[in-house]
Amino acid sequence: MRNWTKFLAGLAAGGFVLSATAALADEIRIGITMRMVSENGQKYGQMVMDEIGLINEAGGINGHQIKATLMNDECKSDKGVANANKLIFQEKVHLLVGSTCSSVSLPIVDVTAKAKVPQIIPHSTNAKITQKGSAWVFRVPVSGRFYAGVNAKYVGENIGKKIAYICAADAASQNDCDAMQAQMKSQHGTEPAYVAQVQEKEVDFRTHMQKIKLAGVDGIMVAALAETMSRALIQSYEAGIGPNVRRIGSSSASNAPVPKISGDAVKGVFYAAAYSNADTRPIAKLFNQMVKDRYGIHAPDHDFSQAYDLIRIVEMALNNSDLKLTNSSLAADRTAIRDAIANVKNYQGLASGPISFCADATPQCRDGNKTPVLISYRKGGEAFETEVLARVSMPEDFGL
Amino acid sequence: MISFITNFTSVIESLAKVHRLLPWLIAYVLLLFLPNLITATFGEYYVDLANRCCLFILLAVGLNIVKGFCGQVTVGHIGLYAIGAVTSALLAQNYGLPFWLSAPLAILVTCLAGLVVGLPSVRLEGAYLALATLGLGESVRIMIAVTPALGSSTGIMMIPAPTIGDYVIESFDHYFYLVMTAAIIGIYFSFVILNSSTGRAFKAIREDVIAASVSGINVPFYKLLAFVISAIYAGLAGALFAHMPPGYLHHNNFTVIEMVTLLLMVVLGGIGNIWGGVVGAIVVTVIYDQTKDYYFYQPLIFGVTMVFLVVFMPRGIGGVIEQAIVKRKFIEKHEEQNLGTS
């Protein structure tokens, strides 16, 4: 009996300690779940937290402080869902930011839709995310459906139509690969010269490269996450495929580890992204300098710029929301934030084009950025350099 | 076949001891109040955590049957879990089967897979068996990753939640009743198996294969049976995981890291100790959840814990508690004897 008493007392004490961290009124709560298993991944999260910290230092949002909770989902859907549940039901967040990986964002869309919590996506490009028809989701990055259209147009007109594909088994890369093949077919009527489905963390591409070499292709598309892509690029040269065969990257090609690991093998690789550090606009120069000073990154990729744009959009939306911030107004506050984000029109930030949202729960409304920029690497290694090849605004219903 | 019928009879005999069911029923009834208690004390999210604990309890108890009772070093359990999950998800999605039909069929498919995973155990031992089962488990994950029909890179979405009539079991607390019932039944049956002649045969094989064989135990049959029984647990856990809202599966849910985490649960709880497996599953799941803020150090925490356990607590938490109980009984017995002699 005494043991039972001890157990219940312990349970109550534990509950008291945990409930001390429960929701407080008068603060705006933002939950963030991201893939932070790499150095860059951690820096994306850190930058979001730092920017929120600066908003708080400047007086917050209409006098209210933002309480941000950052969590790592390791690019795993079950962990992402657990994070989302914790942030929504335990932390009682008003807004959820996440995730980096499409395979994590996809299930979280269902969680936020059911719980009626606005979700804004910083990095995921898989087209299916906004095609689910959730009224609570917004995407800051360029959707994969737009990237494919731009890539295919440029490749067909400037490089050739005989393209080989190496597609890694992560959601974003697979989506980029499939969409590119579909666009090459619809725009130029061509079938892939060679397709290799590889593991997410594949290390040996030599056999595929030998076959690609024999196929005599005009270009090779490598759709994979940063480290995997780098290996494929290096091994393509080891296999004797010359620089006259252009290498096309998926959107991950913009991530800093690609030029750093690939070295000279990255020269000439082009890809569609949302931001180029070679951008000459004053805002881009200031941003590049800020990232360099704060995080030691000499050329930020588009995941940095997208995270930064996201915070600016969130700041605008929160400033335009009539929030009560009481425990009883949580649902109404969440709805107000959703509606305020939906009212963001023509935001001009670091992205290659304007970001606009609207109220309908459709990809046309919720894929905010419709302007991919084509970027090419001029130099690899630690001090890599890029150049902008083209900037194309796509029709909102493209690729649907 | 004859030995199987004999063993089946022995299991039924164990089940017939109805009076042993009473504490289980009491515990079950008490656990029905747990979601309300957790929500009131800690918050709604912790019911979701309890759901995940129940899933891992099923997995850990199932792994304990093949690893702890029978002594077979398997590292392919997560592969079976994946087969159960994907099978149930596809049956529900493509053929419109309700959970109550898709889950048993998924368990059946997982049993067959368990038989395949168990086949190397007939000829292999120790590290070789571990490698073979690891290969099979990883093959399953890769198959899921590269096959569009199995979800491929995007995963399987919109897997329907279980229903009872028109009611959809999707809230944390109602799903808890489902996974908790499965966990309780799973734990109970593992005790039934352990206390039957089948369980004794498993333990005999674990202690000494040659001696067991000489004693007339059909070693290959029992090894395969252990794998099949553990597959039932993995298949059920997989089906429950697949249908748990938001109903999404991805091959990344079934990596070697998950297998290592599961092994840690069993080792922490105590290999061959049923309650140890339960405690291990709860402790590891909760610790993992509560240390999320220190994500950078998590692998280090788990690695050091594993080394610490192997060196200082090779029998796990369950083993330590068991040892304490034995010691206490021994002291009490001696005290009684001393009192009797004085």
Side-chain angles (χ1 to χ4, degrees):
Chain A
M1 195 66 212
R2 266 188 310 174
N3 288 342
W4 273 106
T5 313
K6 278 181 188 173
F7 171 74
L8 290 170
L11 204 65
F16 179 77
V17 170
L18 281 166
S19 57
T21 64
L24 290 166
D26 209 41
E27 63 183 8
I28 300 165
R29 292 179 296 277
I30 297 177
I32 306 146
T33 178
M34 281 186 180
R35 173 186 185 258
M36 292 187 289
V37 290
S38 65
E39 189 190 356
N40 262 37
Q42 285 161 32
K43 285 174 179 172
Y44 303 144
Q46 189 56 51
M47 191 184 72
V48 170
M49 293 300 276
D50 290 347
E51 287 302 316
I52 290 171
L54 289 171
I55 293 169
N56 284 337
E57 280 175 29
I61 304 285
N62 301 327
H64 302 289
Q65 292 286 289
I66 298 173
K67 185 195 173 214
T69 308
L70 176 66
M71 296 180 92
N72 178 24
D73 56 42
E74 300 168 39
C75 198
K76 289 189 170 179
S77 61
D78 55 337
K79 291 180 171 64
V81 168
N83 286 355
N85 282 334
K86 189 169 192 170
L87 292 166
I88 291 166
F89 297 103
Q90 199 63 29
E91 302 292 331
K92 311 275 189 210
V93 296
H94 294 95
L95 170 71
L96 188 85
V97 175
S99 172
T100 305
C101 300
S102 295
S103 58
V104 180
S105 293
L106 278 163
I108 293 177
V109 169
D110 297 325
V111 175
T112 53
K114 194 177 146 200
K116 294 184 168 55
V117 178
Q119 177 190 356
I120 187 158
I121 290 170
H123 301 134
S124 307
T125 58
N126 190 300
K128 289 189 175 83
I129 289 167
T130 47
Q131 286 170 1
K132 281 189 162 191
S134 167
W136 297 87
V137 72
F138 301 87
R139 192 207 307 260
V140 170
V142 177
S143 172
R145 64 191 170 101
F146 298 133
Y147 283 145
V150 173
N151 259 338
K153 190 176 189 315
Y154 185 83
V155 168
E157 290 172 4
N158 299 283
I159 289 161
K161 290 166 184 150
K162 204 173 177 186
I163 307 297
Y165 298 85
I166 289 181
C167 318
D170 65 274
S173 302
Q174 197 67 51
N175 184 66
D176 287 349
C177 221
D178 293 345
M180 176 72 172
Q181 287 172 51
Q183 285 298 321
M184 285 299 288
K185 192 173 181 178
S186 71
Q187 289 184 37
H188 311 292
T190 56
E191 292 290 342
Y194 181 85
V195 181
Q197 300 287 349
V198 298
Q199 281 303 300
E200 211 168 310
K201 292 176 183 175
E202 186 69 67
V203 291
D204 190 358
F205 300 89
R206 289 172 182 86
T207 311
H208 295 303
M209 292 305 172
Q210 289 298 341
K211 288 176 181 172
I212 290 167
K213 188 184 174 185
L214 290 171
V217 296
D218 300 315
I220 307 166
M221 182 182 189
V222 183
L225 296 176
E227 292 81 1
T228 312
M229 187 184 291
S230 303
R231 286 194 193 98
L233 291 171
I234 292 165
Q235 288 172 25
S236 70
Y237 282 99
E238 286 173 355
I241 303 169
N244 57 314
V245 176
R246 290 296 296 272
R247 275 72 167 172
I248 308 142
S250 57
S251 59
S252 306
S254 70
N255 296 137
V258 174
K260 285 181 182 176
I261 299 167
S262 306
D264 291 340
V266 85
K267 196 177 171 186
V269 171
F270 70 92
Y271 57 94
Y275 174 76
S276 166
N277 57 65
D279 197 323
T280 52
R281 288 176 298 161
I283 187 177
K285 285 180 174 174
L286 282 168
F287 178 72
N288 291 348
Q289 194 57 49
M290 181 269 284
V291 174
K292 189 178 180 178
D293 294 345
R294 272 202 222 161
Y295 310 108
I297 305 281
H298 95 279
D301 57 35
H302 76 161
D303 281 349
F304 271 110
S305 74
Q306 288 169 157
Y308 185 86
D309 278 341
L310 180 141
I311 288 299
R312 298 283 78 87
I313 289 167
V314 165
E315 186 181 14
M316 279 167 57
L318 291 175
N319 273 316
N320 296 331
S321 306
D322 180 23
L323 303 175
K324 303 285 178 288
L325 300 178
T326 62
N327 287 335
S328 58
S329 70
L330 183 62
D333 289 341
R334 285 168 171 176
T335 306
I337 292 168
R338 181 199 65 180
D339 296 343
I341 299 173
N343 279 324
V344 170
K345 301 277 185 286
N346 224 15
Y347 162 81
Q348 304 277 354
L350 294 163
S352 44
I355 296 176
S356 297
F357 296 113
C358 45
D360 291 348
T362 59
Q364 292 93 324
C365 259
R366 300 310 176 89
D367 286 336
N369 185 359
K370 299 163 182 78
T371 310
V373 57
L374 268 180
I375 301 161
S376 175
Y377 281 107
R378 285 193 342 202
K379 184 181 159 191
E382 284 290 333
F384 64 88
E385 289 173 12
T386 59
E387 62 180 335
V388 177
L389 299 176
R391 195 176 262 109
V392 188
S393 282
M394 308 294 284
E396 63 178 17
D397 56 354
F398 182 86
L400 291 174
Chain B
M1 191 66 196
I2 292 164
S3 68
F4 176 76
I5 291 164
T6 313
N7 289 310
F8 187 72
T9 312
S10 128
V11 169
I12 294 295
E13 279 171 7
S14 301
L15 272 173
K17 294 169 182 171
V18 178
H19 67 277
R20 289 187 182 176
L21 270 171
L22 194 62
W24 291 90
L25 289 170
I26 293 166
Y28 181 75
V29 170
L30 286 173
L31 283 169
L32 291 175
F33 296 97
L34 195 61
N36 295 333
L37 183 67
I38 291 172
T39 305
T41 315
F42 302 113
E44 200 180 347
Y45 164 75
Y46 286 88
V47 182
D48 179 47
L49 183 62
N51 291 345
R52 279 178 277 141
C53 284
C54 288
L55 287 180
F56 279 114
I57 285 168
L58 266 176
L59 280 170
V61 169
L63 183 61
N64 231 337
I65 287 168
V66 72
K67 173 80 189 79
F69 297 175
C70 202
Q72 301 305 295
V73 188
T74 174
V75 198
H77 206 62
I78 286 290
L80 297 172
Y81 176 56
I83 290 168
V86 170
T87 306
S88 189
L90 293 177
L91 286 171
Q93 220 175 40
N94 298 346
Y95 301 100
L97 294 185
F99 170 79
W100 312 106
L101 260 179
S102 68
L105 287 171
I107 292 167
L108 198 68
V109 172
T110 315
C111 279
L112 293 172
L115 203 63
V116 174
V117 173
L119 281 173
S121 74
V122 175
R123 290 187 173 274
L124 300 173
E125 290 288 340
Y128 299 102
L129 177 60
L131 278 173
T133 52
L134 175 69
L136 285 163
E138 194 60 5
S139 299
V140 169
R141 191 189 68 80
I142 291 166
M143 184 80 81
I144 295 165
V146 299
T147 312
L150 303 178
S152 186
S153 59
T154 308
I156 305 172
M157 288 182 275
M158 313 293 283
I159 303 161
T163 54
I164 299 173
D166 289 337
Y167 180 73
V168 183
I169 306 170
E170 57 182 351
S171 65
F172 292 153
D173 51 353
H174 291 176
Y175 211 85
F176 174 80
Y177 297 138
L178 187 63
V179 288
M180 184 268 288
T181 304
I184 289 280
I185 291 169
I187 297 164
Y188 176 74
F189 268 95
S190 68
F191 274 107
V192 169
I193 292 159
L194 183 64
N195 294 323
S196 68
S197 60
T198 304
R200 286 188 286 276
F202 287 162
K203 282 188 273 189
I205 292 166
R206 180 187 66 194
E207 297 306 323
D208 194 328
V209 176
I210 295 164
S213 185
V214 168
S215 306
I217 292 168
N218 186 344
V219 173
F221 168 79
Y222 280 106
K223 279 184 174 181
L224 283 176
L225 185 64
F227 273 97
V228 169
I229 292 169
S230 81
I232 293 171
Y233 284 80
L236 177 60
L240 288 164
F241 173 64
H243 293 267
M244 188 157 85
Y248 180 83
L249 284 181
H250 192 266
H251 65 87
N252 266 351
N253 302 141
F254 313 111
T255 61
V256 175
I257 299 293
E258 272 67 35
M259 187 63 225
V260 172
T261 308
L262 184 57
L263 276 173
L264 177 64
M265 288 172 185
V266 174
V267 173
L268 176 73
I271 295 168
N273 188 308
I274 296 167
W275 288 119
V278 174
V279 171
I282 294 168
V283 168
V284 172
T285 308
V286 171
I287 286 177
Y288 188 89
D289 186 83
Q290 295 301 301
T291 57
K292 269 183 177 175
D293 291 347
Y294 312 102
Y295 56 85
F296 197 69
Y297 303 101
Q298 263 186 343
L300 184 71
I301 293 165
F302 281 109
V304 170
T305 306
M306 192 69 122
V307 171
F308 176 86
L309 284 169
V310 170
V311 174
F312 298 103
M313 286 170 67
R315 293 180 64 209
I317 295 169
V320 169
I321 294 166
E322 226 171 45
Q323 208 173 357
I325 292 165
V326 169
K327 196 175 172 183
R328 194 172 154 184
K329 281 181 178 174
F330 180 80
I331 291 164
E332 280 174 2
K333 196 179 172 185
H334 269 262
E335 280 174 349
E336 279 173 20
Q337 282 175 350
N338 289 342
L339 283 168
T341 51
S342 61

